[in-house]
Amino acid sequence: MSAPSASDNPLEAPRCDRTEAWASLKGHYEAHGRGFDLRDAFQRDPGRFAMFSFDAPEVFADLSKNHLDTATLHFLLDLARECKLEARRDAMLRGEPINTTEGRAVLHTALRAPFGLAPHSSVVHEVLERMLSYAEQVRDTADSGIRHVVNIGIGGSDLGPQMAVRALEGFVHPRIAFHFVSNVDGHDIESVVRHLKPEQTLFIVASKTFTTQETMSNAQVARDWFVAMGGTELHRHFVAATTNVQAAAAFGIHTTFGFWDWVGGRYSLWSAIGLPIAIAIGADNFRALLAGAYAMDRHFATAPLASNLPVLLGLVDVWYRNFHGYTSRSVAPYHQGLRRLPAYLQQLEMESNGKRVDIDGELLPFATSPVVWGEPGTNGQHAYFQMLHQGTDVIPVEFIAVKHATHDLPGVHTKLLAHCLAQSQALMVGKSAAQAMAETVPSASPAMPAEMLARHRTFPGNRPSTTLVIEHLAPPSLGALIALYEHRVFTSGCLWRINSFDQWGVELGKALANELLPRFASGETQGLDASTAGLLGKLRG
């Protein structure tokens, strides 16, 4: 990590659209990028796969099926340097308050660093050791009696732990079931607790302030259920990840694990918010999860920009969003364990980079976060892949392939991997009208003229995709994969010169809900717009 200097002040970095590299990229896009064809690129360069493939800890990435050439990459790397990406990265890792609107450091990386190698190391490891010790006590089911763990949180307090526990199912304690409650809709928690017994259940209430409306509403329902069902020793069956120890104690919780204001919710699964993960996979595997993330942190901190995988992915995101005008990105993990990854990445990217002003409060003249969405393959193939292949919008796709399965069903995983490769190949090569005309289609209507049918069965191709490959879905590789996405989001946010670490857009709806709540009892509509007043009347009673 380089030493800070006046010229490295990340707050003085130019915004991407005010750099020479941006102007060069605009010219390059008009001359070469707009009409770029992947099929021609592979024909011209048999070594394209090797040139645009990159290794990082636990993750291999094939970027060769993207609308890139060496000149594009050259200009994008110039853009990163002009925007002082490395200086801002180093400032984050040092613990400088780069979250300017809240005056906070951004140090989720400190949560996975070995002792002594990051800021706040002593307090981080004190909480980590205490949390892992508690997790091992719960995992001793003969002594603890726990058979069900219910995590009550929302946003980062739910999405991260739920995604990780589902992803690491092969490592989860075989005698403990894990449940996640987040929605303030009572149908969520009611469907969970109706099958549980108080004496076998541990509730984790995850709220930094212990005031999050949805979380505390569900926590209250859980406590009422526990008491109504004859539960005793509430302090043994409720634990909290929070900094508000007094409020937790007033609730009846004696065991709490804290974290800090420099840990954002969507970056918090490495902290005490990860308690359900630690209980699920055990202390050693939780440490392996941290180690995988730390390895990616070191790659991000030290690898040259031209081979730095999080940086390269973030640069491609900027190229697609701001030059090609692609509005969304689909994530297709070809492993059932990663079924919650797209939802996790939605929050990570869209809450981080869904901003319309830069760090100086200036309105941005360009687009920021794309819409991130997806489903596991092969389910997505029978849902939305039709649009990816033949729809009017070009949507970059991110395939995630896991080389080795954790099951031993003969031939099944090979079929899954074949589908993964086939989809990225099909997006690229497409199918011409001549090819469609030459095919026999038993299911087609005999009344339809061949040329018209061929138009329906033509695929334009030249649709970009990235494929990420990991050897095994295990704690180290999952940790590295998540950290890769974190740093990728940081990279694009840095170039856009936005604050990727606040989320003011989350607050307005909460405040208005608090104002509307008493109106459901009173029926008072004064001061409301006509639509809200009318809907309130419709929904009351």
Side-chain angles (χ1 to χ4, degrees), residues 52-365:
F52 290 99
S53 293
F54 301 89
D55 273 302
E58 302 283 347
V59 182
F60 171 84
D62 170 23
L63 305 188
S64 65
K65 290 193 185 82
N66 282 284
H67 292 168
L68 295 171
D69 55 22
T70 53
T72 310
L73 203 52
H74 170 80
F75 292 131
L76 286 169
L77 290 167
D78 283 348
L79 183 66
R81 295 184 187 102
E82 276 196 82
C83 292
K84 299 186 180 180
L85 172 63
E86 292 161 299
R88 191 167 183 192
R89 172 200 66 195
D90 293 352
M92 176 181 73
L93 297 175
R94 284 193 299 269
E96 294 181 18
I98 65 167
N99 178 351
T100 52
T101 60
E102 297 177 299
R104 294 173 179 173
V106 176
L107 278 171
H108 47 280
T109 53
L111 299 170
R112 54 242 193 172
F115 185 82
L117 295 183
H120 308 292
S121 187
S122 294
V123 291
V124 165
H125 281 267
E126 185 275 324
V127 173
L128 176 64
E129 295 299 331
R130 198 162 58 85
M131 181 184 81
L132 294 182
S133 175
Y134 178 79
E136 290 301 310
Q137 293 173 34
V138 176
R139 286 170 59 83
D140 182 359
T141 55
D143 187 54
S144 71
I146 298 300
R147 296 292 187 275
H148 295 270
V149 172
V150 181
N151 187 78
I152 300 175
I154 197 165
S157 301
D158 168 76
L159 289 166
Q162 183 178 173
M163 179 272 294
V165 171
R166 301 292 182 243
L168 298 174
E169 282 172 334
F171 299 83
V172 169
H173 195 298
R175 293 183 298 281
I176 302 179
F178 291 82
H179 314 273
F180 294 86
V181 171
S182 57
N183 199 332
V184 75
D185 181 348
H187 296 96
D188 191 5
I189 190 166
E190 194 276 336
S191 67
V192 170
V193 298
R194 74 166 72 136
H195 303 294
L196 306 184
K197 298 177 180 178
E199 66 274 12
Q200 295 181 344
T201 305
L202 175 70
F203 291 95
I204 301 172
V205 182
S207 171
K208 183 185 291 188
T209 62
F210 218 74
T211 59
T212 308
Q213 186 183 86
E214 298 92 338
T215 300
M216 296 319 300
S217 175
N218 282 324
Q220 184 65 54
V221 170
R223 185 174 66 175
D224 292 346
W225 169 87
F226 183 83
V227 172
M229 294 295 290
T232 59
E233 297 185 289
L234 184 143
H235 65 278
R236 291 189 63 246
H237 292 270
F238 282 76
V239 62
T242 185
T243 56
N244 194 343
V245 176
Q246 287 184 324
F251 186 90
I253 295 176
H254 297 173
T255 303
T256 61
F257 301 95
F259 49 111
W260 307 273
D261 66 5
W262 39 262
V263 180
R266 55 195 174 276
Y267 300 90
S268 64
L269 68 85
W270 322 100
S271 71
I273 293 297
L275 177 58
I277 308 172
I279 296 172
I281 65 176
D284 289 344
N285 282 321
F286 191 84
R287 292 184 192 280
L289 179 78
L290 299 180
Y294 178 69
M296 187 61 73
D297 294 342
R298 298 314 303 151
H299 171 80
F300 180 57
T302 63
L305 295 185
S307 58
N308 193 310
L309 186 54
V311 170
L312 293 171
L313 291 173
L315 293 176
V316 173
D317 292 341
V318 171
W319 174 237
Y320 282 166
R321 192 74 180 99
N322 299 127
F323 295 91
H324 286 270
Y326 301 151
T327 58
S328 76
R329 182 172 72 252
S330 182
V331 179
Y334 274 69
H335 193 295
Q336 184 65 8
L338 293 173
R339 60 192 178 276
R340 293 296 293 165
L341 182 65
Y344 172 79
L345 295 178
Q346 282 177 348
Q347 187 202 20
L348 177 64
E349 186 152 355
M350 295 167 71
E351 194 168 274
S352 294
N353 286 348
K355 311 292 170 59
R356 64 195 296 267
V357 299
D358 65 17
I359 58 175
D360 296 320
E362 242 187 280
L363 280 172
L364 294 170

Side-chain angles (χ1 to χ4, degrees), residues 410-483:
V412 173
H413 195 63
T414 304
K415 290 178 186 175
L416 178 71
L417 295 177
H419 275 283
C420 180
L421 296 185
Q423 290 299 320
S424 69
Q425 182 185 25
L427 286 166
M428 180 179 75
V429 301
K431 181 190 289 185
S432 69
Q435 288 172 316
M437 284 276 288
E439 294 176 343
T440 301
V441 190
S443 60
S445 168
M448 178 167 283
E451 287 116 352
M452 186 182 296
L453 177 62
R455 287 199 293 273
H456 285 277
R457 300 187 63 254
T458 297
F459 295 69
N462 194 35
R463 301 208 160 179
S465 67
T466 296
T467 300
L468 304 179
V469 178
I470 59 179
E471 290 283 320
H472 303 269
L473 185 53
S477 59
L478 181 65
L481 184 67
I482 298 168

Side-chain angles (χ1 to χ4, degrees), residues 486-501:
E486 290 176 346
H487 298 318
R488 169 196 194 155
V489 167
F490 172 88
T491 295
S492 53
C494 180
L495 269 58
W496 290 325
R497 202 166 182 262
I498 59 179
N499 182 0
S500 299
F501 302 103

